[in-house]
Amino acid sequence: MKKYQNKYHVLDSTILRTATNYLLPLLILFSLFVLLRGHYLSGGGFVGGLIASIAFVLHSFAYSTKQTLALFQFSPMRLIGLGLSISIISAIIPVFIGLPVMTGVWFAESVAVIGAVGTALFFDVGVYLVVIGVVLTILFTISENV
């Protein structure tokens, strides 16, 4: 068995690739669980975003950066702008109803699995997207230049 493949330093391991195929969706689901759990208990957008990023980094170890980037319909850098927009909008929504910036505003109806939905959840979703975008952009840029 070859240790490395080509100049891209992709590990040539059938076991790692098989495990990654199962772990990627599980890690993404776990990151969403941590994200949704975050505004009640510890966790949230930052930790969930790191877990999702780790899932894609594992995929890039098993396959290649190019194949991992092909999983996205767009550049991970776009997630940074999208996440910042969501976070900023969720921070200024209370101003429109006469409350200070970053005040938690909750909808009257709760969602079955998520629970109470409000601006804190949207802020966490924005942070989640920013963390994924930043981590993947940095790591993929470094790996492409090595």
Side-chain angles (χ1 to χ4, degrees), residues 18-68:
T18 304
T20 299
N21 291 337
Y22 290 106
L23 286 174
L24 181 69
L26 289 174
L27 285 170
I28 297 298
L29 282 174
F30 183 64
S31 76
L32 291 172
F33 168 75
V34 170
L35 167 69
L36 295 176
R37 178 181 163 227
H39 60 275
Y40 291 116
L41 300 169
S42 59
F46 186 78
V47 176
L50 286 177
I51 294 169
S53 298
I54 289 169
F56 291 113
V57 169
L58 177 66
H59 187 274
S60 72
F61 285 166
Y63 293 95
S64 70
T65 302
K66 190 174 184 178
Q67 288 177 323
T68 303

Side-chain angles (χ1 to χ4, degrees), residues 69-129:
L69 284 171
L71 295 175
F72 293 94
Q73 298 294 322
F74 47 85
S75 168
M77 190 177 289
R78 289 190 177 187
L79 291 175
I80 299 169
L82 178 63
L84 281 173
S85 300
I86 292 171
S87 294
I88 290 170
I89 289 169
S90 71
I92 63 172
I93 283 176
V95 173
F96 296 114
I97 57 174
L99 296 170
V101 176
M102 303 260 322
T103 301
V105 177
W106 303 93
F107 295 109
E109 301 279 329
S110 64
V111 180
V113 176
I114 299 172
V117 176
T119 56
L121 176 62
F122 292 118
F123 186 82
D124 273 347
V125 168
V127 170
Y128 179 83
L129 294 175

